[in-house]
Amino acid sequence: MRRSTVTAGLAFAAALALTTSTATLPAAAAQAPAAPAPAPAAAPAVAALAAPDISVTNVQAHLSQFQSIATSNGGNRRSGSAGYTASVNYVKSKLQAVGYTVTEQNCTNCTYPGNNVIAEWPGGAPADQVIMFGAHLDGVTAGPGINDNASGSSVLLENALVLAQQNPSLTKRVRFAWWNGEEQGLQGSKFYVNSLSTAQKGYIKGYYNFDMVASTNGGYFINRVTSTTAAPLKAYWDSLGLSPEENVEGQGRSDDYSFQQGGIPTSGYAMGASARKTSAQAAKWGGTANASYDPCYHRSCDTTSNINATGLNRSADGVAYAIWDQAVGGGTPSNDFSVAVSPTAGSVARGASTTATVSTATTSGSAQTVALSASGAPSGVTVSFSPSSVTSGGSSTMTIAASASAATGTYTVTVTGTGSATRTATYSVTVTGTGGCAGGQLVGNSGFESGATVWTASSGVITNSASQAAHAGSYKAWLGGYGASRTQTLSQSLAVPAGCASYTLSFWLHIDTAETTSTRQYDKLTVAVGGTTLATYSNLNKATGYVQRTFDVAAYAGQTVTLTFAGVEDASLQTSFVVDDVTLTAS
């Protein structure tokens, strides 16, 4: 979502009364995670609709790809950047592989010229009957832009792939779009709408926009919530007892506004940006009152860690419901099912085992045989199912057994159900024990010689600039040095094994400064592990060369933690914090 600089003054037409849809919610609605606040209201009783259950695991896989793209291209996916171009190529290749007609439309008057991606599923109704779904593909320079807006882009991409996989008969043409230049003022979508003739605008019977649909402290918001266009989106979320509200914060700030200005009916989902959640919303939806919906909005921390998986899942399934409600013909529902694991996490000691229940449900059509399998278990850990296949609606006992020499640490096991479709769920297993030490040096790209690989960093932090020497090699991480108000971060997620005798974090730090005081801290570098501060350095710690800093981090054994360096400069007189050769050694 673009940053708002003035209060949006949208003059909406008089709100239309919400009409009841003739289609009903999929059975999958009952499988969505429960809202954290009051018990959900009952789903409306209407006729069956064969909308598929969209795998949130698959959506998260797209998010991981966008994160990798940003990490490999300067830490962001801003329009006009290599990260944006790589994002376009990723989306386009996925769509073309399943049969979409894909067009790249170059936005020549965007601030950063780049391409919109327009994809249409072949067939369906005549060209004058179109339902369109869109999300902006670009982010801001400050970070990788995973909630804003890889979340909307990934939800749309997975829905497009599922539509191609199921290939239902269509009553309207389905068109998807990923926009360039939203963050500079909705430029890509505005360019597209302006390129349409009056007749072509009239062909589009509704445009649905999805922007920031996984905010960690989010709410459930719908654009023009009382409009006829919004009815299927609202019906799905109402079935989960969410009581969605009007997207007041987003009015005029995302790509639906370009279509609205073109006279095209619009709606869409959002979960909120920098505005603060009210006490009433926190009571209804859970979360923290008087805190922003997305604390990482337009910041470097907008990574895959900044995702509300429950909201992401509800948004993805709501999009599917809208597609099927608006564009899919009648007929016998396709057979589909869902998979869930309870509990979703557990631990097992070396030489022991633990169990969890794998449940399945028929979400549309008839029950079917589902074969169960698992992947992602570490060395020395086996996963088995009893029974190994079930009829959808049945359950199985999953047993996780660890050998005496199993690798310790925390791992994600993916449980896969295979039938007419493939559905997945995840289970987090922590292997404990002292029967050996799966240790070694845990920090990837510790000397930064591979650039931003493995690390998540603010733009320009990882550099081979000759202005500051590396401790070894050519690259290092340079935080600060601007002589102006600035905050920069550098981080890496680390799986710290259990069972080792010692755990030592070490790095080399060089501090130089233009500050002349010997008593006051103006600029600071904070080093933290797992959210706990290990040390703080400042302009008072300046030195002529590198100094090695070491810490005992045994308290984090058996955990997956994030190692973070955060540099903060005040408004004048630079301080440079130069970090190199970072290691965490377990032995």
Side-chain angles (χ1 to χ4, degrees):
M1 178 188 290
R2 67 168 179 151
R3 189 180 299 278
S4 178
T5 55
V6 295
T7 302
L10 297 184
F12 287 116
L16 298 174
L18 176 61
T19 56
T20 304
S21 173
T22 57
T24 333
L25 299 162
Q31 300 301 317
V46 274
L49 175 69
D53 176 30
I54 303 301
S55 166
V56 71
T57 302
N58 292 351
V59 178
Q60 289 171 312
H62 299 313
L63 294 178
S64 295
Q65 289 296 319
F66 287 124
Q67 175 72 65
S68 296
I69 286 169
T71 300
S72 300
N73 290 281
N76 70 82
R77 299 181 307 103
R78 191 212 70 193
S79 294
S81 70
Y84 181 78
T85 300
S87 299
V88 167
N89 292 338
Y90 175 72
V91 171
K92 182 179 179 181
S93 65
K94 287 287 186 181
L95 295 167
Q96 288 180 324
V98 295
Y100 276 88
T101 302
V102 183
T103 303
E104 290 190 53
Q105 180 194 44
N106 184 250
C107 179
T108 55
N109 60 7
C110 287
T111 300
Y112 303 109
N115 292 350
N116 296 323
V117 179
I118 314 296
E120 190 159 311
W121 185 243
D128 62 352
Q129 297 291 317
V130 177
I131 296 294
M132 193 164 181
F133 300 82
H136 74 87
L137 187 56
D138 64 319
V140 295
T141 306
I146 300 305
N147 186 39
D148 185 16
N149 184 38
S151 65
S153 294
S154 297
V155 160
L156 279 199
L157 180 56
E158 186 59 25
N159 265 278
L161 299 179
V162 169
L163 180 67
Q165 178 190 51
Q166 299 218 352
N167 193 20
S169 60
L170 298 177
T171 60
K172 291 185 175 65
R173 292 201 177 193
V174 179
R175 185 178 301 163
F176 295 94
W178 289 263
W179 305 117
N180 179 62
E182 189 269 359
E183 297 290 1
Q184 288 73 49
L186 321 181
Q187 293 176 345
S189 58
K190 187 182 301 182
F191 183 84
Y192 174 80
V193 172
N194 289 342
S195 73
L196 301 176
S197 67
T198 300
Q200 288 170 329
K201 292 175 187 176
Y203 296 164
I204 303 173
K205 305 308 178 184
Y207 171 78
Y208 293 90
N209 194 68
F210 304 95
D211 192 351
M212 302 183 67
V213 294
S215 305
T216 53
N217 191 42
Y220 293 90
F221 303 108
I222 296 178
N223 306 338
R224 303 178 70 241
V225 66
T226 60
S227 67
T228 301
T229 308
L233 298 182
K234 186 175 186 299
Y236 187 83
W237 274 1
D238 278 347
S239 79
L240 305 180
L242 297 174
S243 299
E245 299 177 3
E246 177 63 47
N247 182 18
V248 176
E249 180 190 20
Q251 290 177 4
R253 292 177 58 185
S254 196
D255 295 297
D256 56 296
Y257 187 63
S258 299
F259 285 80
Q260 182 192 335
Q261 293 297 98
I264 297 167
T266 65
S267 189
Y269 281 150
M271 291 190 68
S274 59
R276 294 179 179 273
K277 178 174 280 188
T278 67
S279 297
Q281 290 169 341
K284 179 168 61 171
W285 296 321
T288 305
N290 200 35
S292 57
Y293 300 118
D294 180 0
C296 289
Y297 174 59
H298 283 189
R299 297 177 59 195
S300 60
C301 58
D302 187 11
T303 66
T304 49
S305 298
N306 186 47
I307 289 294
N308 176 343
T310 298
L312 187 72
N313 187 37
R314 290 167 169 170
S315 298
D317 288 339
V319 174
Y321 180 74
I323 293 172
W324 257 250
D325 179 79
Q326 294 290 292
V328 175
T332 304
S334 58
N335 298 332
D336 204 355
F337 64 94
S338 63
V339 175
V341 181
S342 180
T344 58
S347 62
V348 58
R350 282 174 167 170
S353 63
T354 189
T355 62
T357 299
V358 178
S359 301
T360 64
T362 302
T363 58
S364 64
S366 302
Q368 61 183 288
T369 300
V370 178
L372 300 172
S373 60
S375 60
S379 174
V381 174
T382 60
V383 182
S384 60
F385 301 90
S386 181
S388 59
S389 65
V390 298
T391 300
S392 56
S395 61
S396 174
T397 299
M398 177 175 70
T399 300
I400 300 98
S403 69
S405 60
T408 57
T410 299
Y411 305 90
T412 298
V413 174
T414 299
V415 178
T416 300
T418 304
S420 61
T422 299
R423 300 288 176 247
T424 61
T426 58
Y427 178 85
S428 177
V429 60
T430 300
V431 182
T432 62
T434 56
C437 172
Q441 207 291 92
L442 307 178
V443 178
N445 189 21
S446 64
F448 306 103
E449 297 304 313
S450 297
T453 301
V454 183
W455 293 95
T456 298
S458 300
S459 179
V461 164
I462 298 176
T463 178
N464 62 351
S465 168
S467 299
Q468 287 285 350
H471 175 256
S474 301
Y475 281 80
K476 63 275 172 181
W478 180 1
L479 299 93
Y482 291 90
S485 294
R486 188 174 294 248
T487 299
Q488 294 179 301
T489 59
L490 170 74
S491 64
Q492 184 175 145
S493 178
L494 302 173
V496 184
C500 298
S502 66
Y503 301 83
T504 303
L505 171 68
S506 173
F507 58 89
W508 291 84
L509 175 64
H510 170 55
I511 303 174
D512 72 46
T513 184
E515 302 282 1
T516 58
T517 179
S518 60
T519 58
R520 294 191 62 181
Q521 295 181 347
Y522 289 107
D523 309 311
K524 297 180 181 180
L525 176 73
T526 301
V527 184
V529 173
T532 300
T533 299
L534 295 181
T536 300
Y537 305 98
S538 74
N539 48 283
L540 300 182
N541 302 111
K542 63 182 180 181
T544 55
Y546 280 88
V547 177
Q548 188 176 30
R549 310 288 184 173
T550 59
F551 302 89
D552 181 353
V553 290
Y556 304 98
Q559 302 178 41
T560 297
V561 296
T562 300
L563 168 64
T564 304
F565 297 84
V568 179
E569 278 191 291
D570 67 2
S572 64
L573 299 178
Q574 74 87 23
T575 300
S576 294
F577 301 99
V578 190
V579 179
D580 204 356
D581 295 326
V582 183
T583 60
L584 198 165
T585 304
S587 60

